[in-house]
Amino acid sequence: MAMSKVNICGVNTQELPLLNSAQKAELLKRIKDGDNQARDKFIKGNLRLVLSIVSRFSNSNENLDDLFQIGCIGMIKAIDNFDIEQGVQFSTYAVPMITGEIKRFLRDNSSIRVSRSLKDTAYKAIYAKELLTKEKQKEPTISEISEEIGISKEDIVIALEAVSPAVSLYEPVFNEGGDTLYVIDQVKDKKTTEDTWVTHIALCDALNKLESREKQIIKMRFFDYKTQMEIAEEIGISQAQVSRLEKCALRNLRKHLT
């Protein structure tokens, strides 16, 4: 796909709106107040930014339509986590987030190919999430997304994980005068509540009831944040075996938590 193409992922680039600094600032304030119309307008007004970043990866072997959608995921993450109180321009914060999302996608795809069907499932889920958020004025659950698109919850979770890996909390997003701003600096520190302690205790108890191999997989996967491939290499089994063990462990974990 040539970058001069006017229509990319159903978006006519000639019709994309341009927002000035005052408009962006006003929309960001409305977004933080829960205005979903402002959120949609702000996303559309920043699609040119995503396209400009995608153009840097025109020499990759990946389909640029896919990279554009991954870039949009990065931009949406940037919008959701952006702190207007930091006094940083949104583009300064968003560019490394978008670039990082694309680079992680390219890195992960170099060793494990994500199937077209898996990508399609993820994009359907993301689109459904946006629609349901607008309709219900709150973020939908996986169950609601599953019902909307007619795909199982398990398949949706796997697909979303495949195209949207977690952002490192220690990824630099801004640097000026030697002072670096990291993603973790943008995360609000909410006071620990009694409910979170109860949940933590219940989870620890459930983990202790798992078999040693299942407990090991869960710890490495969700506490050490390792990929299935990394776990497979470390404990000497195949990635497929890790995947099966993980699913079995999660099923048993749910049983112990109910």
Side-chain angles (χ1 to χ4, degrees):
M1 183 197 72
M3 284 308 297
S4 59
K5 183 178 179 181
V6 172
N7 192 290
I8 180 170
C9 294
V11 177
N12 187 334
T13 57
Q14 291 183 338
E15 296 179 353
L16 291 177
L18 291 172
L19 302 174
N20 59 39
S21 297
Q23 289 174 319
K24 289 179 181 179
E26 176 60 28
L27 287 173
L28 282 170
K29 290 179 181 178
R30 289 166 55 190
I31 289 170
K32 294 306 175 183
D33 290 334
D35 189 331
N36 286 306
Q37 288 186 339
R39 189 170 187 269
D40 290 342
K41 187 175 180 179
F42 191 82
I43 289 172
K44 291 177 182 177
N46 281 278
L47 290 180
R48 290 178 186 271
L49 176 63
V50 177
L51 288 171
S52 69
I53 296 172
V54 169
S55 68
R56 304 175 189 175
F57 300 90
S58 58
N59 292 327
S60 72
N61 295 323
E62 289 296 329
N63 184 288
L64 292 183
D65 282 352
D66 289 344
L67 296 187
F68 175 72
Q69 294 191 58
I70 296 300
C72 287
I73 292 172
M75 180 180 65
I76 290 170
K77 285 183 176 181
I79 293 171
D80 290 342
N81 291 285
F82 184 63
D83 187 348
I84 60 177
E85 301 298 328
Q86 289 288 341
V88 178
Q89 291 289 329
F90 174 76
S91 59
T92 303
Y93 178 83
V95 167
M97 292 280 281
I98 297 168
T99 304
E101 202 72 29
I102 294 173
K103 285 183 177 179
R104 276 185 290 277
F105 174 77
L106 292 173
R107 179 200 65 201
D108 293 345
N109 267 21
S110 65
S111 57
I112 306 172
R113 303 299 293 183
V114 179
S115 69
R116 168 58 61 177
S117 62
L118 203 58
K119 292 177 183 177
D120 288 344
T121 296
Y123 299 147
K124 287 178 183 177
I126 292 168
Y127 182 67
K129 179 182 177 181
E130 291 298 315
L131 288 180
L132 290 171
T133 298
K134 180 184 284 188
E135 291 175 5
K136 299 176 179 292
Q137 299 295 301
K138 66 176 183 177
E139 187 171 317
T141 63
I142 291 295
S143 296
E144 290 172 332
I145 295 174
S146 173
E147 185 177 347
E148 176 72 16
I149 63 178
I151 298 175
S152 72
K153 293 182 290 185
E154 291 79 8
D155 287 343
I156 291 173
V157 171
I158 291 171
L160 289 176
E161 183 182 49
V163 302
S164 184
V167 176
S168 170
L169 289 176
Y170 295 96
E171 179 174 321
V173 295
F174 178 69
N175 188 298
E176 184 174 297
D179 295 326
T180 303
L181 180 67
Y182 297 93
V183 172
I184 195 170
D185 298 322
Q186 297 284 304
V187 179
K188 293 183 179 179
D189 183 16
K190 296 183 178 179
K191 185 178 180 180
T192 302
T193 64
E194 182 180 349
D195 287 342
T196 60
W197 278 108
V198 171
T199 301
H200 177 71
I201 293 171
L203 179 58
C204 288
D205 183 60
L207 282 170
N208 288 331
K209 292 179 181 178
L210 295 179
E211 295 181 359
S212 59
R213 178 54 66 90
E214 291 181 348
K215 184 177 179 179
Q216 181 186 22
I217 294 292
I218 293 297
K219 181 180 181 300
M220 296 175 74
R221 190 80 170 94
F222 299 103
F223 291 86
D224 297 335
Y225 305 105
K226 294 185 178 182
T227 65
Q228 290 183 349
M229 183 65 74
E230 289 172 335
I231 296 172
E233 292 177 355
E234 187 167 330
I235 64 179
I237 61 177
S238 69
Q239 183 188 355
Q241 288 176 298
V242 172
S243 179
R244 287 195 293 271
L245 284 168
E246 181 184 318
K247 290 177 182 177
C248 182
L250 289 173
R251 283 197 299 269
N252 290 333
L253 195 60
R254 281 194 291 269
K255 290 178 182 177
H256 295 314
L257 285 170
T258 57

